Amino acid sequence: MKAKKTSSVIFFILSMLLFALGGILLFALPQRTYSENENRYLTTFQPPAVSSFLDTSMQQNLTDGASDQFAGRDLWMKFATALQRAVGFQDIGGVYFGKDGYYFERVLDSHLSESRYANNLRSIEQFACSYQTDVCFLPVPSKGYVLADLLPANAVLYQADKLYTQAGQILQQAGLSDLRPLFRPEQQAGQLFFKTDHHWTMDGAYQAYTAWSKIHNRTAAPLAQFAPECASDAFFGTLYSKAPDFRAQPDHFNLPSKVPEAAVTIDGKSHDTIYDLDKLDTKDKYAVYFGGNFGRIDIHMKNSQNQRTLLLIKDSFANSLVPFLMADYAQISMIDFRYFNKPVSELIREIHPDETLILYEISNFAQDTNFFKILK
């Protein structure tokens, strides 16, 4: 009995010492302003002020700062994930843990707006009727839809087939390219999606390139012609950042190394390549394409054998498709409505696109609140 009481006292003392050490380190260690793993800025402790006491912002800053600045935060996040998985959780932080090391984003019907999706589709149709350009919508099926057999038991996702059916009903003047048949298990060539990220891999983007080529009666170049190379063997994606885990395995990050020479303009600044190779040394390796997402990117191919111009209205999935498209165009202009706020009508008059490709991951498109800009 005495030994048990002594053990309890020792446990209590050690617990208090651990909490005390954590508190001391919280203020003694240098504050981190950015978390590369989470790809976000962290809350730092702010000097106290009388006004902050009155409006409770001081208390909020202390709470958020303690969470973000806690010593060994990244390691503790892994322990937390491991503990939750050990007790049977398959959905942590909006992420499903599937088979073979795959992470899946948990997107439900309740996260999508039927009216917004329909309005976005109608905007595409109105755009196609308003301009002399060949318009096609290419919605990318999500990883959870394509790799449904790798989802954990009883996992629930949004009804993707319903979205494709609705797109086919609304789009008449605009074309619709359905990638689902190409992405079926029996058709899959290579690993189409990263295990710890929501994006498709180089192989997935190449499949979309073959579909786009077929639409325009062009012969897709074989993948080997682009000389794929492994740019990194340590790729951890955005889904891993939401739920880091000791068991997660990095992906290989492959890039087409042989692409046409081009002059690239990103939001008015000149570059001589579509790749920002410095990003390969950061957590966000997918940003190697152009350095990330920007409002407008113009790519002028040098020594082009044709005069076609492509307008690409897109989300981040399109970034990895561009290397495959470059040889088929003299110019590609890309706009991302999250950052592009100028009138699209002015851009159309400026570049006179022969073809317009609208490419979004389909659940992203259903949630997009900026797509109305296409009619400005």
Side-chain angles (χ1 to χ4, degrees), residues 93-347:
V95 174
Y96 284 128
F97 290 95
K99 303 171 186 175
D100 298 340
Y102 275 91
Y103 283 49
F104 296 92
E105 189 170 17
R106 182 175 178 267
V107 182
L108 308 178
D109 283 323
S110 59
H111 297 157
L112 310 181
S113 168
E114 290 187 19
S115 60
R116 181 178 297 126
Y117 179 64
N119 287 337
N120 288 347
L121 290 172
R122 293 189 190 100
S123 294
I124 293 178
E125 184 67 7
Q126 187 174 340
F127 175 85
C129 294
S130 301
Y131 298 104
Q132 296 298 313
T133 177
D134 186 5
V135 180
C136 183
F137 178 44
L138 195 158
V140 180
S142 64
K143 182 166 71 170
Y145 177 88
V146 175
L147 303 178
D149 58 321
L150 298 180
L151 285 165
N154 304 315
V156 178
L157 294 175
Y158 69 95
Q159 300 178 63
D161 289 326
K162 180 180 178 180
L163 298 183
Y164 280 92
T165 299
Q166 191 172 358
Q169 293 169 344
I170 292 177
L171 300 181
Q172 301 298 320
Q173 182 67 25
L176 173 65
S177 179
D178 189 347
L179 292 177
R180 288 177 297 172
L182 270 180
F183 280 18
R184 286 174 182 152
E186 64 272 15
Q187 297 292 331
Q188 290 174 21
Q191 182 181 328
L192 301 184
F193 291 89
F194 292 111
K195 289 190 174 184
T196 63
D197 195 73
H198 62 291
H199 287 110
W200 53 16
T201 62
M202 180 194 69
D203 291 308
Y206 176 77
Q207 292 302 315
Y209 158 68
T210 63
W212 179 249
S213 298
K214 187 175 182 179
I215 289 171
H216 294 284
N217 298 313
R218 296 194 283 263
T219 301
L223 181 59
Q225 185 171 311
F226 297 94
E229 292 183 356
C230 180
S232 174
D233 60 0
F235 177 76
F236 287 100
T238 56
L239 299 182
Y240 170 82
S241 297
K242 292 181 178 180
D245 186 23
F246 291 108
R247 287 180 280 179
Q249 295 296 317
D251 279 300
H252 283 79
F253 189 87
N254 299 320
L255 286 177
S257 66
K258 189 175 181 181
V259 296
E261 288 187 72
V264 183
T265 304
I266 302 176
D267 282 349
K269 296 181 180 180
S270 297
H271 301 261
D272 58 5
T273 175
I274 63 170
Y275 295 136
D276 182 351
L277 297 179
D278 289 341
K279 295 296 184 181
L280 294 174
D281 297 324
T282 70
K283 166 66 169 57
D284 187 16
K285 290 176 173 52
Y286 193 80
V288 70
Y289 300 103
F290 309 102
N293 295 298
F294 299 89
R296 176 177 175 179
I297 299 175
D298 294 291
I299 309 168
H300 295 269
M301 263 53 70
K302 301 176 181 178
N303 308 313
S304 176
Q305 300 301 308
N306 60 69
Q307 299 301 314
R308 284 189 297 268
T309 297
L310 172 69
L311 173 60
L312 179 51
I313 301 173
K314 57 87 178 183
D315 66 7
S316 56
F317 273 74
N319 295 357
S320 53
L321 174 63
V322 169
F324 299 113
L325 299 178
M326 292 171 64
D328 292 330
Y329 298 93
Q331 176 182 343
I332 299 176
S333 291
M334 308 163 58
I335 57 174
D336 188 324
F337 285 138
R338 290 172 294 180
Y339 315 103
F340 184 82
N341 294 303
K342 296 180 180 179
V344 173
S345 56
E346 290 183 6
L347 178 61

